[in-house]
Amino acid sequence: FLFTGFPWLYIGYTSVDNFLLQGYIPVLGIFGMSFLIVLISQIFLSLLGNLKDLTQRKSLYLSSFILIIIFIGNQPLENINWTKSTGKISAIVVQPNIDIKEKWTQKGLNKIESAIEKKLSQNPLQNLTQPTVIFWPEVTLTSLIQKNRIDEFRNSILDENNMLGMVMGALSETKSEEINNSLIGIGNISGIYDKKFLVPFGEYIPFSGFFSALFDFFNFNRPQILPGIENNLIGDNLIKISSAICYEIAYQNIFLSNSKKTNILFNASNDNWFGTGLGPHQHLQIARFRAAEHQKYLVRSTSTGISALINHHGQIVKKIKTSINENELESFQEDVILKSGQTPYANFGKKPFLFILVIIFFISAILKFRRDESFI
């Protein structure tokens, strides 16, 4: 936690596709799953060592017993439904596919505004039979939205429609001219979520006051985005969306504060920076783990991919691949089951795991002290 506790590639994320361990995810969370995988590896190593020396039968039996318990215990955990269904909505996931070089120009802004207007004018949206939410990515609109005029902004985007809502990313500005990276509820849903965990050098310059001359030389002296204070749900009486913007999804605590109230998770991102490398795939895997951790559906909308709908077990229902050079808007529509309730991890967080670590530390210290004493 020295450098913000940013857990991008913890080994525990590999368990999201491991049929022998998946049941433990909503119980242990990312730290617990990483610990479990290391523990299993250590036990296998111990088994190999004991097979060479058959005189250590007690250790051999103990190691085998622990492994059997771990793998057998996974099955009943997988069958437990920690959350329950409370309703259903239709989700439209949009991927604009506008290149990063074009996005922040007037041409890019005109293109996205045209895409929004075109999307809203499609015939299926005029005769909806169930609540529908359109999910747009991080900073869909690059123009500044005034927070004290947010209702005017909402009305200018979407006419009143009792069945249709949107969640859209934009840069918002307060009365004191502070800029936030926000998600805004529009239409039949409302609420604003401001990004908490900002990207160093991407959204703000660390220690810029101390090194202003150096940052001016590298043209880093620009308006800084500030972290938001409030963590509001976006939605209405039926829909309760807990949000994370971009790499915030990697912070295991991001959804915990609203876990009792929320029934759907949303990750809006701009993975343009990664290009077509491993980054978008790693980001998607982390999002899948968050869905499995909370046993709730997660919608992921990105600027150029990978956008996806992920079910409550962390499995991909549908996705849109990375499309850096296609420059054509893509989208899909799927039903989302709203899930209420809390998993053990959502309820307790990482506290039980940290308690176990403390116990292990003290037991190890006591055993080492006894070994040293007997050696003397």
Side-chain angles (χ1 to χ4, degrees):
F1 296 97
L2 181 60
F3 300 105
T4 77
F6 176 50
W8 185 257
L9 283 181
Y10 280 177
I11 195 171
Y13 287 123
T14 61
S15 62
V16 75
D17 286 318
N18 190 326
F19 70 94
L20 291 173
L21 299 175
Q22 287 170 330
Y24 289 100
I25 293 175
V27 178
L28 300 178
I30 184 59
F31 289 123
M33 292 306 298
S34 298
F35 174 81
L36 186 63
I37 290 172
V38 173
L39 176 64
I40 291 170
S41 303
Q42 183 63 33
I43 291 172
F44 272 115
L45 181 63
S46 177
L47 278 172
L48 290 173
N50 290 332
L51 285 173
K52 293 179 181 179
D53 184 6
L54 295 178
T55 59
Q56 300 292 327
R57 288 186 179 180
K58 288 185 178 179
S59 297
L60 184 67
Y61 294 151
L62 179 61
S63 298
S64 301
F65 177 73
I66 293 173
L67 277 180
I68 291 170
I69 290 297
I70 289 173
F71 293 135
I72 289 179
N74 176 70
Q75 191 57 49
L77 286 175
E78 268 196 304
N79 295 331
I80 296 176
N81 293 315
W82 301 105
T83 56
K84 62 180 181 179
S85 303
T86 56
K88 184 173 71 171
I89 66 167
S90 181
I92 299 175
V93 181
V94 182
Q95 184 171 299
N97 293 330
I98 298 178
D99 186 78
I100 192 69
K101 295 176 183 177
E102 187 178 34
K103 178 175 181 176
W104 296 93
T105 65
Q106 186 61 45
K107 181 182 177 182
L109 179 59
N110 294 340
K111 184 178 286 188
I112 194 64
E113 287 177 345
S114 176
I116 293 169
E117 187 177 341
K118 183 179 178 181
K119 192 69 186 173
L120 292 176
S121 64
Q122 292 178 348
N123 288 331
L125 295 180
Q126 310 308 316
N127 301 297
L128 298 173
T129 57
Q130 68 175 349
T132 301
V133 179
I134 306 176
F135 292 90
W136 295 84
E138 176 188 13
V139 193
T140 304
L141 292 172
T142 53
S143 56
L144 277 176
I145 309 300
Q146 303 298 322
K147 281 189 174 176
N148 61 338
R149 301 176 63 184
I150 202 72
D151 289 333
E152 293 179 28
F153 166 71
R154 288 190 177 111
N155 295 335
S156 67
I157 293 289
L158 185 61
D159 295 330
E160 186 175 344
N161 186 327
N162 293 331
M163 299 296 283
L164 181 62
M166 289 202 306
V167 185
M168 181 171 288
L171 294 178
S172 63
E173 187 177 34
T174 65
K175 287 183 179 180
S176 55
E177 297 185 349
E178 295 179 346
I179 300 173
N180 300 125
N181 185 347
S182 305
L183 293 174
I184 303 170
I186 303 169
N188 72 335
I189 58 175
S190 60
I192 301 177
Y193 170 78
D194 295 329
K195 189 175 183 181
K196 307 292 181 298
F197 300 98
L198 303 179
V199 181
F201 300 101
E203 292 173 305
Y204 76 103
I205 308 300
F207 309 112
S208 58
F210 294 99
F211 306 105
S212 57
L214 178 65
F215 291 135
D216 286 348
F217 177 78
F218 286 105
N219 197 27
F220 279 163
N221 190 17
R222 58 185 180 186
Q224 297 202 76
I225 295 174
L226 298 176
I229 299 173
E230 295 186 9
N231 184 7
N232 295 327
L233 292 176
I234 296 175
D236 58 11
N237 292 331
L238 172 67
I239 306 163
K240 307 292 183 183
I241 304 170
S242 188
S243 306
I245 299 177
C246 195
Y247 89 139
E248 280 189 319
I249 194 74
Y251 290 88
Q252 68 287 342
N253 292 339
I254 191 66
F255 294 128
L256 290 184
S257 60
N258 287 320
S259 63
K260 287 183 180 179
K261 302 174 184 177
T262 186
N263 52 26
I264 179 175
L265 310 176
F266 177 43
N267 176 215
S269 188
N270 174 23
D271 285 355
N272 244 319
W273 312 98
F274 291 123
T276 55
L278 289 175
H281 299 276
Q282 295 168 350
H283 213 170
L284 177 64
Q285 185 182 37
I286 292 169
R288 291 177 58 199
F289 195 94
R290 293 286 93 82
E293 225 171 29
H294 292 265
Q295 273 202 0
K296 292 173 182 176
Y297 276 66
L298 187 146
V299 177
R300 177 169 160 77
S301 175
T302 69
S303 297
T304 55
I306 304 169
S307 301
L309 173 63
I310 302 164
N311 70 15
H312 60 298
H313 292 301
Q315 304 306 307
I316 297 171
V317 177
K318 199 164 187 176
K319 69 176 181 178
I320 305 172
K321 64 179 183 179
T322 50
S323 307
I324 299 296
N325 299 316
E326 291 188 12
N327 250 344
E328 290 184 8
L329 182 145
E330 295 179 82
S331 65
F332 66 80
Q333 184 169 359
E334 288 287 337
D335 285 344
V336 173
I337 308 299
L338 303 176
K339 309 281 284 186
S340 67
Q342 289 181 291
T343 62
Y345 172 75
N347 199 16
F348 299 107
K350 58 180 178 286
K351 293 176 183 176
F353 170 69
L354 295 177
F355 177 75
I356 291 171
L357 282 186
V358 171
I359 296 298
I360 291 172
F361 173 79
F362 278 110
I363 292 174
S364 300
I366 292 169
L367 291 175
K368 185 179 186 307
F369 178 76
R370 285 182 175 178
R371 283 197 300 268
D372 292 346
E373 203 173 46
S374 62
F375 179 77
I376 293 171

